[in-house]
Amino acid sequence: MAIKKEIDQSVIDGFKATLRGDLLTPGDPGYDDSRTIWNAMIDRKPALIARCLGVADVVACVNFARDNELLLSIKGGGHNISGLAVCDGGLMIDMSLMRGVWVDHKTNTVHAQAGCLLGDVDRETQLYGKAAVLGFVSNTGIAGLTLGGGFGYLTRRFGWTTDNLVSIEMITADGHIVQASEKENPDLFWGLRGGGGNFGVVTKFEYKLHPVGPEIVGGVIAWKGEDAADVLELYRTLSEQAPPELTCVVLLRPAPPAPWLPKEIHGKPIAALLVCYSGTIEEGEKLVAPIKAFGSPVGDIIQRRPYIALQNLLDGTQPKGRRYYWKSEYFSGHDPLMLKKFEEHGSYIKSPHSAIILFQLDGALNKIPDDHSPVGNRNTKTVLNITASWESPEDDQENIEWARSAWQDMRQFSTGGTYLNFLTEEEVGNRLQDAWGKNYDRLVEIKTKWDPENFFRMNKNIPPR
Ligand SMILES: Cc1cc2nc3c(=O)[nH]c(=O)nc-3n(C[C@H](O)[C@H](O)[C@H](O)COP(=O)(O)OP(=O)(O)OC[C@H]3O[C@@H](n4cnc5c(N)ncnc54)[C@H](O)[C@@H]3O)c2cc1C
């Protein structure tokens, strides 16, 4: 693969010599592993991949790409559905070797390098019985998740991931290291709390910690698909009545071949609830008892368990290398007709790996003003995610069509907002304003100040003025 703009080999060799990490070109061992991401629908080939080992490598990459007019992309955990972490023909910064984590128990924060996966951070913070507000799947990257907003089992108590950010270290387009926090560069800090990767390469995040674990009550429980309407009603009641310590996610899908589900159920429709109670064990056991006693479950592994085990529970369900296509909307409540349509579209799923999911969100994030950070959407009570997942390119059309038609029918219940991190590649051009709402204009100002040439454009891009 040729570099888009011809660069002399000696210049590339000189660049390579300045790096501590490897510089890979097509054909090198590790090149394909690095450029392929979670979503196999994305197949781009950077001319160069820098596997950075430290901040100095990142600075060298930014300077090299800028001076040689190369397109630059940044890969954190490689889990974004739109695949913008990987560019064609340019330089890709692969952050996956920068996974240091330091807990500071005096300030009650954790510092994490931007290549970390969620599990890296949880592993270290749980030594102290603490947790940062991160997502539901431990092999997702913290960088993309955080820069786009971030939510998980602790969001009802503490808000978006970005509501819990304390500071960020970032490399600007001119190769300088800057710190951003409420006190230092507060405009940039505001923009980074949900504005995506628009302003620079983040090298480190600092998050507030909360006492959580090391054990919680949580897990998953499933009923037959024919019980879906009752399970959705249970979810609605829990969403309206549960304390913020209890978070539930409801999903409809064909049963995976998991050991906790009987063999005769595998491949048949199920309705499942994922549950986490992050307060005391005693209170948690009391609160989940009626869920466990509800109807006739076909499998139930809600129990006292390490918080880390809950965070790992879903890792195998959405492996790297399958084909994925998502559609998503925010809802401000649980309209009975919406739940009916949710059930209906769950019954049309085309692949054994697909699911239709509602993530419960209401709580702390609704109590913060909309302009606190760009992620906004403070009227959201639940997120719909229609997750088509399949294996063969021949099945692209029917799976994509299923997701699109379910979304077409259900978007009538939307707040009009959508989650930046769930946008597919085709939506990047037309739904960014929905994701950021009224906060978009302020993001344009910040982009114009920090990246006036739009050097960082391989992202959910905000063109500078
Ligand atoms: C299986 C799965 C589960 C998920 N669960 C959740 C969940 O529970 N909660 C939730 O909120 N989201 C969830 N998501 C969505 C997730 O937040 C996004 O996919 C997110 O972008 C993943 O981050 P990443 O670092 O892995 O992404 P990548 O694909 O590596 O990066 C995405 C984009 O982020 C930017 N970026 C990455 N690193 C940097 C950096 N160092 N500096 C500047 N910009 C950077 C770039 O623009 C890049 O294109 C999930 C996704 C998947 C696939």
Side-chain angles (χ1 to χ4, degrees):
M1 146 99 15
I3 293 179
K4 281 229 160 117
K5 176 177 176 295
E6 281 308 315
I7 300 174
D8 203 90
Q9 188 58 42
S10 64
V11 176
I12 295 172
D13 292 343
F15 170 49
K16 190 172 181 166
T18 67
L19 296 176
R20 200 152 58 93
D22 290 334
L23 185 69
L24 307 177
T25 51
D28 284 344
Y31 172 86
D32 279 327
D33 187 45
S34 178
R35 76 168 186 89
T36 48
I37 53 171
W38 171 78
N39 186 1
M41 300 278 279
I42 309 295
D43 183 24
R44 300 200 183 99
K45 297 186 174 74
L48 299 167
I49 297 178
R51 304 202 73 201
C52 294
L53 282 178
V55 177
D57 280 359
V58 176
V59 171
C61 287
V62 168
N63 289 338
F64 180 79
R66 189 198 55 242
D67 294 347
N68 292 285
E69 296 173 30
L70 275 182
L71 183 61
L72 183 78
S73 71
I74 310 152
K75 182 180 139 188
H79 263 54
N80 197 278
I81 182 94
S82 69
L84 294 167
V86 193
C87 56
D88 254 332
L91 169 64
M92 181 180 97
I93 294 181
D94 177 348
M95 299 290 286
S96 65
L97 299 177
M98 290 177 61
R99 288 169 67 176
V101 182
W102 300 269
V103 176
D104 185 339
H105 69 275
K106 288 200 190 113
T107 56
N108 207 29
T109 61
V110 58
H111 296 252
Q113 284 187 305
C116 283
L117 306 182
L118 310 193
D120 301 334
V121 180
D122 285 335
R123 185 172 155 82
E124 300 299 328
T125 61
Q126 280 294 286
L127 289 175
Y128 299 83
K130 292 181 179 174
V133 178
L134 298 170
F136 295 87
V137 176
S138 86
N139 50 22
T140 313
I142 63 165
L145 179 130
T146 305
L147 293 169
F151 67 89
Y153 287 118
L154 305 179
T155 295
R156 297 193 66 226
R157 295 176 71 185
F158 309 114
W160 297 116
T161 299
T162 46
D163 296 336
N164 294 275
L165 256 186
V166 178
S167 70
I168 274 186
E169 178 184 83
M170 192 194 84
I171 309 306
T172 61
D174 54 11
H176 289 117
I177 307 178
V178 290
Q179 309 294 327
S181 67
E182 301 262 358
K183 293 200 178 112
E184 267 181 288
N185 300 308
D187 65 326
L188 177 64
F189 188 55
W190 186 89
L192 286 164
R193 282 184 293 175
N198 267 283
F199 312 106
V201 187
V202 174
T203 44
K204 186 165 72 67
F205 297 91
E206 182 186 4
Y207 303 96
K208 203 185 288 174
L209 290 176
H210 304 280
V212 171
E215 284 195 314
I216 48 80
V217 175
V220 57
I221 181 167
W223 297 265
K224 283 187 178 160
E226 63 208 43
D227 298 331
D230 294 338
V231 175
L232 288 168
E233 183 53 24
L234 172 67
Y235 172 77
R236 193 188 60 76
T237 312
L238 287 166
S239 298
E240 281 165 17
Q241 297 172 3
E245 286 82 1
L246 185 70
T247 294
C248 300
V249 178
V250 69
L251 61 129
L252 306 180
R253 60 164 294 166
W260 61 277
L261 287 168
K263 272 207 175 76
E264 60 274 17
I265 294 291
H266 295 177
K268 307 241 168 69
I270 52 165
L273 268 188
L274 291 160
V275 176
C276 174
Y277 184 84
S278 60
T280 65
I281 297 292
E282 296 69 32
E283 191 56 23
E285 285 176 338
K286 214 160 72 192
L287 276 169
V288 301
I291 303 176
K292 292 169 80 69
F294 186 81
S296 308
V298 290
D300 172 12
I301 48 167
I302 299 179
Q303 62 195 59
R304 181 181 180 151
R305 64 172 74 230
Y307 178 67
I308 289 181
L310 183 65
Q311 291 290 84
N312 291 339
L313 196 65
L314 301 180
D315 288 2
T317 61
Q318 301 201 53
K320 175 179 171 180
R322 274 203 205 129
R323 303 174 81 76
Y324 294 97
Y325 181 85
W326 290 359
K327 282 288 190 185
S328 179
E329 292 294 328
Y330 286 133
F331 297 148
S332 61
H334 299 95
D335 188 306
L337 186 59
M338 180 277 280
L339 293 176
K340 223 174 159 21
K341 291 204 174 279
F342 182 85
E343 184 191 344
E344 183 190 331
H345 291 291
S347 73
Y348 303 149
I349 285 175
K350 303 290 179 218
S351 152
H353 311 306
S354 297
I356 182 163
I357 310 171
L358 288 172
F359 297 89
Q360 183 194 5
L361 280 187
D362 64 317
L365 75 84
N366 305 130
K367 301 191 174 77
I368 297 171
D370 212 43
D371 63 355
H372 171 265
S373 65
V375 69
N377 288 290
R378 304 284 174 178
N379 56 349
T380 298
K381 301 276 183 192
T382 197
V383 188
L384 167 73
N385 202 10
I386 303 162
T387 64
S389 163
W390 65 101
E391 285 170 47
S392 163
E394 290 152 27
D395 300 328
D396 284 3
Q397 200 184 340
E398 71 163 351
N399 284 286
I400 292 172
E401 265 170 20
W402 166 71
R404 278 194 191 140
S405 83
W407 169 76
Q408 284 293 359
D409 197 22
M410 292 193 71
R411 65 182 305 202
Q412 59 181 299
F413 305 100
S414 173
T415 59
T418 188
Y419 183 34
L420 188 78
N421 274 337
F422 287 174
L423 293 179
T424 56
E425 199 182 0
E426 72 191 15
E427 294 175 309
V428 168
N430 59 20
R431 291 218 70 195
L432 294 184
Q433 303 247 4
D434 295 343
W436 285 310
K438 287 191 192 122
N439 293 319
Y440 183 76
D441 290 346
R442 191 165 163 194
L443 282 169
V444 174
E445 295 304 320
I446 297 167
K447 175 76 176 179
T448 307
K449 176 174 167 190
W450 288 89
D451 184 21
E453 305 296 327
N454 206 9
F455 173 63
F456 299 107
R457 59 185 178 281
M458 195 67 196
N459 47 38
K460 313 269 164 66
N461 196 240
I462 304 165
R465 218 177 279 295

